């Protein structure tokens, strides 16, 4: 079965840039999405179709997908960016989530 | 506004059954699928499967066959997840989420989650 791998944790200083990776076999041949789940809340879609932001998601959130790796970039990190980030793709009509990355802004 | 509202928390004993509902409003339900996602305590998101809102046909992910049933009410605006023969390892938050076909657009609206606790 298809798997997506994320680092368990990433730390960033306020105002700096954080990058979170998501690796999967030939991931660039599939569309990737990203979600942010803040503590105690439901996940929120922040990126779809590799690079697109839903309405209301700030431009400092961006993403790319190339080769085996999708990358989420958060510029000018703020306290509100803290939470668990999940990548997602689908393969053979099955949705797969990465294991999640805890982003700490400190 | 567009929202998915789920039923409240449940405390069940091993062997019981539970039914979690997810009511959609503010959009044309048949333009999207309902998906179910499980999150065990302290763990990540796990996709359970989806139900086609045009046909009512469910599709279950690996590991969610047998004891798990997805259904729609007659208006197709409320989806339900029923779990039978509950086990302690079914303790989790269960989310419903909508997606447009193919999932490349992601799951853009989520319910608030329903906590199911299975304990003797």
């Amino acid at each position: 079965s298809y798997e997506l791998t994320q680092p368990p944790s990433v730390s960033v200083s306020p105002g700096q840039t954080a990058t979170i990776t998501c690796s999967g076999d030939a991931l660039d041949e599939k569309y990737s999405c990203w979600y942010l789940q803040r503590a105690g809340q439901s996940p929120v879609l922040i990126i779809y179709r590799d690079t697109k932001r839903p309405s209301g998601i700030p431009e400092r959130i961006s993403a790319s997908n190339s080769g085996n790796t999708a990358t989420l970039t958060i510029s000018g990190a703020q306290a509100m960016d803290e939470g668990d980030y999940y990548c997602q793709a689908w393969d053979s009509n099955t949705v797969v989530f990465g294991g999640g990355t805890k982003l700490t802004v400190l | 506004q567009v929202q998915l509202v789920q039923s409240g928390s449940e405390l069940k004993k091993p062997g019981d059954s539970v039914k979690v509902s997810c009511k959609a409003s503010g959009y044309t339900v048949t333009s999207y699928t309902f998906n179910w996602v499980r999150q065990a305590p302290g763990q990540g998101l796990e996709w359970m499967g989806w139900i086609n809102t045009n046909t009512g046909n469910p599709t279950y992910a690996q590991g969610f066959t047998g004891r798990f049933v997805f259904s729609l009410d007659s208006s197709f605006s409320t989806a339900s997840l029923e779990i039978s023969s509950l086990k302690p390892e079914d303790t989790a938050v269960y989310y419903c989420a909508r997606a447009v076909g193919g999932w490349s657009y992601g799951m853009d609206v989520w319910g608030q989650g329903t906590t199911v606790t299975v304990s003797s």
Side-chain angles (χ1 to χ4, degrees), chain A residues 35-58:
Chain A
Y35 301 85
L36 164 60
Q37 186 179 33
R38 297 185 177 95
Q41 297 185 21
S42 301
V44 173
L45 178 69
I46 59 174
I47 293 287
Y48 66 94
R49 288 204 150 194
D50 292 338
T51 62
K52 310 297 185 188
R53 285 185 305 276
S55 174
I57 302 302

Side-chain angles (χ1 to χ4, degrees), chain B residues 25 28 52 75 90 95 105 112:
Chain B
S25 61
T28 302
N52 185 315
S75 70
D90 293 322
Y95 293 100
Y105 290 90
Q112 81 275 23

Side-chain angles (χ1 to χ4, degrees), chain B residues 6-13 16-21 81 83 86 90-94 113-119:
Chain B
Q6 298 184 226
S7 50
S9 299
E10 302 270 7
L11 174 59
K12 295 292 184 180
K13 295 188 185 306
D16 285 352
S17 295
V18 69
K19 193 168 188 176
V20 176
S21 66
L81 160 66
I83 311 171
L86 283 163
D90 293 322
T91 294
V93 177
Y94 292 85
T114 296
T115 300
V116 175
T117 304
V118 184
S119 174

Side-chain angles (χ1 to χ4, degrees), chain A residues 1 31-33 35 37 40-45 48-50 84 86 88 90 93-99, chain B residues 35 37 39 43-47 50 59 61-62 95 101-113:
Chain A
S1 60
Y31 280 115
S32 60
C33 301
Y35 301 85
Q37 186 179 33
Q41 297 185 21
S42 301
V44 173
L45 178 69
Y48 66 94
R49 288 204 150 194
D50 292 338
D84 295 320
Y86 295 91
Q88 174 244 300
W90 61 282
N93 285 323
T94 297
V95 172
V96 179
F97 287 102
Chain B
N35 292 257
V37 176
Q39 188 169 38
Q43 302 300 308
L45 304 176
E46 187 175 18
W47 184 72
W50 65 287
T59 299
Q62 204 170 5
Y95 293 100
W103 299 285
S104 66
Y105 290 90
M107 289 174 257
D108 68 334
V109 178
W110 292 64
Q112 81 275 23

